[in-house]
Structures are given as C-alpha cells and as structure tokens.
C-alpha cells in the first residue's frame, strides 16, 4: 500500500514522536517515516504522522477505510 499521512488533533505533551511511531508499528498499522509534533497549549500537542507504508493488517485496512470515508479512526 502506498504511503500516506494522518493528523492527530490532540496528544498529551509527554507523548514523544518515538512513542507515536512505536505504537503504530506495535499495533501492526504501518512503518512511520516521521512524526511532527506541534504545540497547541500546555495541555496538548497535535501530531502529523507520515508513513513510509502501511502493513497489510486488518487494523491498517480499517483505518484506511474509515479515513477514506471521512470517518474518525481510533486506536485503542
């Protein structure tokens, strides 16, 4: 599957780029190229996650389907 990016509107300020990248890999979603964290305020950041590729997993396909239909995708 080709590379794409996602936007996460709110992440806690103690969450790092490495933690986000590791989570997407561990949950079998995809290989993250890089993450950009942008400070919103003292209580949250927003994140832009850029993938090299997505894995061929049920969760990755579900996220793609949700996003392509303009639905919210959530990791739990």
């Amino acid at each position: 599957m080709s590379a794409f990016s996602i936007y996460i509107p709110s992440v806690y300020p103690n969450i790092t780029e490495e933690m986000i990248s590791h989570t997407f890999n561990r949950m079998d979603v995809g290989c993250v190229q890089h993450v950009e964290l942008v400070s919103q305020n003292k209580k949250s950041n927003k994140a832009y996650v850029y993938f090299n590729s997505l894995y061929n997993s049920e969760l990755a396909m579900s996220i793609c389907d949700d996003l392509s239909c303009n639905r919210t995708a959530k990791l739990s």
Side-chain angles (χ1 to χ4, degrees):
M1 178 169 283
S2 62
F4 78 102
S5 62
I6 62 170
Y7 166 69
I8 304 173
S10 182
V11 295
Y12 292 115
N14 65 316
I15 302 299
T16 66
E17 291 107 344
E18 185 177 289
M19 292 166 75
I20 292 171
S21 178
H22 179 72
T23 298
F24 280 107
N25 183 55
R26 180 178 48 83
M27 294 187 75
D28 203 27
V29 174
C31 177
V32 174
Q33 179 180 11
H34 74 279
V35 177
E36 293 178 17
L37 289 175
V38 179
S39 179
Q40 287 186 289
N41 54 51
K42 291 183 180 184
K43 294 184 179 182
S44 70
N45 293 325
K46 54 187 173 181
Y48 297 91
V49 183
Y50 299 91
F51 291 84
N52 282 324
S53 62
L54 291 180
Y55 300 140
N56 190 18
S57 69
E58 188 174 319
L59 180 56
M61 297 305 116
S62 174
I63 289 171
C64 279
D65 289 344
D66 286 343
L67 296 178
S68 68
C69 295
N70 292 323
R71 294 188 299 251
T72 300
K74 294 185 179 184
L75 292 179
S76 52

